[in-house]
Amino acid sequence: MADNGAPIPLPSMPDAAPEPTRLNKRMAELGLCSRREADEWIAQGWVKVNGRVAEMGLKVGPADHIEVERRAQERQQQRVTILLHKPVGYVSGQAEDGHEPAVVLVHARSHWRGDPSRQRFAPQQLRGLAPAGRLDIDSVGLLVLTQDGRVARQLIGEDSEVEKEYLVRVSYGDLAQNPQAAFPREQLQRLRHGLSLDGQALKPARVDWQNPEQLRFVLTEGKKRQIRRMCEMVGLKVVGLKRIRIGRVMLGKLPLGQWRYLGDAERF
């Protein structure tokens, strides 16, 4: 206490410094690359922190300066992202139950002639090419296959907010024609917000009638067979599902079973 009885003010405590994170995670957070790419670059000696070559497992803070050699950037620029119009009957990832993965459709003969990109197909572009998101075996539409970890993280990372847009043909009970007329409006509201899957509440979705037989869904998440399961919960049966947009990239005129490159100026 001070002589006059007033309490003595304590010095303010500085804010606690943020916990250091692994270098590969920090590089991914900065959008430099994926964690796997970061590990490859660190192993090659292509990454420096504060002027010194980094070692695997190094932890860094926000103030640490990260440099990446040009060789790593050049390798990254050679990696491709492919947009495929997936048909029914192909799975997005690994082959399962006798069904082939969609990547088998990526070859020179199926490259869309209308592709505005000047890139040419080369077999090495298939190395490490993986789907950035799922599209189930019974659905058609836009599927992204990429060698670029940054694209994969943007589309399917834990914090991804990229929209996916679908056109969904449905029936309601015995009604295959004009189910919109009989479908209760309060059930449409439930599709927009109020349903749960796998014990978790779903994020709000934009759902509207595109025409009397078809709904338009816009989602920012993608649980397994999510739209089909949502529809079942409100009494609708999905008879056709097509993904037409991911972020700002549209399926457009890309023919069924063909593919094109993501353009240099295109961004999700």
Side-chain angles (χ1 to χ4, degrees), residues 30-261:
L30 292 171
L32 299 174
C33 57
S34 68
R35 291 196 198 189
R36 184 166 60 180
E37 281 177 313
D39 285 339
E40 293 174 6
W41 296 354
I42 295 166
Q44 293 283 348
W46 294 345
V47 181
K48 292 181 179 179
V49 175
N50 301 327
R52 300 181 63 178
V53 175
E55 297 180 354
M56 296 293 290
L58 178 68
K59 292 190 174 184
V60 297
D64 289 312
H65 180 62
I66 300 169
E67 299 174 74
V68 177
E69 285 195 15
R70 181 172 295 178
R71 282 179 292 180
Q73 296 169 339
E74 289 172 350
R75 177 176 290 187
Q76 190 177 63
Q77 289 169 1
Q78 293 169 1
R79 297 187 172 180
V80 299
T81 296
I82 283 172
L83 309 174
L84 171 69
H85 189 164
K86 187 190 86 67
V88 168
Y90 291 86
V91 293
S92 299
Q94 298 294 323
E96 56 185 76
D97 299 328
H99 297 285
E100 292 185 296
V103 71
V104 303
L105 296 170
V106 180
H107 46 73
R109 295 187 308 279
S110 59
H111 187 190
W112 182 36
R113 290 185 178 181
D115 187 350
S117 170
R118 296 182 179 180
Q119 280 190 285
R120 292 187 177 184
F121 177 73
Q124 61 264 31
Q125 293 171 355
L126 297 174
R127 194 175 303 131
L129 193 66
R134 296 176 58 91
L135 189 59
D136 69 60
I137 191 170
D138 300 317
S139 301
V140 304
L142 184 58
L143 180 67
V144 177
L145 301 160
T146 188
Q147 295 177 317
D148 191 333
R150 296 170 301 173
V151 172
R153 188 174 189 274
Q154 182 184 9
L155 298 187
I156 58 176
E158 293 179 3
D159 55 351
S160 176
E161 292 292 332
V162 175
E163 291 185 343
K164 288 89 174 177
E165 182 175 350
Y166 305 80
L167 294 179
V168 185
R169 189 168 295 277
V170 296
S171 62
Y172 183 52
D174 296 329
L175 286 176
Q177 294 185 342
N178 197 13
Q180 179 183 6
F183 188 64
R185 184 160 184 82
E186 60 269 20
Q187 294 291 59
L188 184 64
Q189 284 299 125
R190 288 186 68 208
L191 284 174
R192 292 170 176 161
H193 195 209
L195 297 177
S196 298
L197 289 178
D198 306 323
Q200 291 185 324
L202 294 175
K203 295 179 181 179
R206 299 209 305 273
V207 186
D208 296 286
W209 288 101
Q210 181 78 4
N211 58 53
E213 283 83 36
Q214 200 172 47
L215 286 163
R216 171 180 168 270
F217 277 73
V218 179
L219 308 178
T220 56
E221 59 187 336
K223 294 181 181 294
K224 189 174 182 179
R225 299 178 75 84
Q226 177 172 332
I227 291 176
R228 295 177 187 275
R229 295 162 69 194
M230 290 172 69
C231 286
E232 287 172 2
M233 295 175 74
V234 296
L236 293 172
K237 180 181 178 182
V238 173
V239 294
L241 190 153
K242 183 178 187 178
R243 184 157 64 201
I244 61 169
R245 176 175 68 88
I246 298 177
R248 287 171 284 181
V249 175
M250 303 292 296
L251 177 65
K253 297 180 180 179
L254 183 62
L256 187 68
Q258 296 187 29
W259 61 273
R260 69 174 179 88
Y261 293 103

